[in-house]
Amino acid sequence: IKTGTYTERVLPQKSGSAGNYITYAAYPGATVTIDGSGVSLPNDLAGLFEIANKSYIQVSGLRIVNARPYPDNAGILVRNSGHHIIIEKNTISNTMSSGIGVWGSNNVIIDGNEVVLACNDGQQEDITVAGTNTFEVRNNHVHDGGPGTNGGEGIDAKDGSHDGKIYKNHVHHLNRLGIYVDAWDKRTYNIEVYQNIVHDTQSDGFTVASEMGGLLENIKIY
């Protein structure tokens, strides 16, 4: 994608295949902004850049800004995707809900993104991984979150997620806690959290919880 500001919602229509990802990327040296100003997303779990029911998609090197106006509107949203999604080296800013949200998917990598002013008085967390298996959240910079009255934790693996790793992230200056593993009401297991830097959060740096009675198994934080 060449340099420019694109005021639109992006909804990939096709899946790639093994060894042949469909990639949405900035042209080398280009600054590409997907701007939600004036774009009204659905009043539901919705993303300005939304990958739904698709596999083998990569999103790389984009600026995603101003995802609104409803509490569950995310910058980049992956939901009900088959498998093999890579979200890397993007900058996501000023989103009502998650900067990056992943729901009901598997084999997902979230790597080297910057997320700032996420959960700007909306729901969820700055980076959310929910009901997802076989994932890595690594090398991300999550900072200076929104007001966070309904959400706004830094990075959260939750709601039945399993077989995942959260590592080498830098999380700071949030109105809620830093990194969170929450079972909610489902079995959530085999998650490792390690080599992260968390500071200047209004609540705990790291938390493990079961808010609605779900089972937590083999959760490691070190």
Side-chain angles (χ1 to χ4, degrees):
I1 307 172
K2 292 293 185 71
T3 292
T5 297
Y6 301 87
T7 305
E8 59 184 289
R9 189 182 186 200
V10 181
L11 300 167
Q13 298 298 300
K14 294 184 178 182
S15 295
S17 59
N20 188 26
Y21 278 70
I22 294 175
T23 300
Y24 296 79
Y27 193 82
T31 299
V32 177
T33 302
I34 310 298
D35 188 351
S37 298
V39 178
S40 184
L41 298 176
N43 184 11
D44 198 355
L45 190 64
L48 186 59
F49 194 116
E50 181 173 326
I51 303 166
N53 303 298
K54 301 293 182 293
S55 301
Y56 293 103
I57 301 288
Q58 180 176 12
V59 183
S60 181
L62 306 181
R63 294 182 67 245
I64 311 288
V65 301
N66 303 322
R68 29 196 353 101
Y70 298 110
D72 276 319
N73 289 166
I76 299 175
L77 179 69
V78 179
R79 64 178 181 86
N80 304 325
S81 285
H83 45 80
H84 294 91
I85 306 295
I86 300 172
I87 308 297
E88 64 168 12
K89 301 176 183 176
N90 303 283
T91 299
I92 304 99
S93 177
N94 194 29
T95 57
M96 285 292 288
S97 182
S98 307
I100 302 170
V102 179
W103 297 75
S105 301
N106 66 80
N107 286 278
V108 177
I109 294 174
I110 302 171
D111 182 17
N113 303 279
E114 182 176 13
V115 177
V116 58
L117 197 61
C119 292
N120 197 356
D121 226 7
Q123 312 275 12
Q124 314 308 335
E125 301 82 26
D126 293 13
I127 296 179
T128 298
V129 178
T132 292
N133 72 81
T134 316
F135 64 89
E136 293 190 21
V137 181
R138 65 194 188 206
N139 304 314
N140 300 285
H141 186 195
V142 179
H143 62 102
D144 295 286
T149 52
N150 297 307
E153 294 84 358
I155 300 172
D156 189 6
K158 65 180 184 179
D159 201 23
S161 292
H162 61 90
D163 296 295
K165 297 179 179 181
I166 300 171
Y167 63 98
K168 294 186 178 179
N169 301 284
H170 185 192
V171 180
H172 61 97
H173 288 95
L174 303 179
N175 290 312
R176 302 293 286 273
L177 61 88
I179 296 179
Y180 193 23
V181 179
D182 171 31
W184 192 246
D185 62 353
K186 299 179 178 66
R187 181 174 177 243
T188 300
Y189 59 96
N190 295 348
I191 297 175
E192 293 184 79
V193 180
Y194 60 95
Q195 294 182 355
N196 299 282
I197 298 173
V198 179
H199 61 91
D200 292 286
T201 58
Q202 292 297 312
S203 184
D204 299 323
F206 299 86
T207 297
V208 176
S210 177
E211 292 187 10
M212 294 296 290
L215 178 63
L216 285 161
E217 291 184 306
N218 196 29
I219 308 301
K220 298 179 180 179
I221 300 177
Y222 56 96

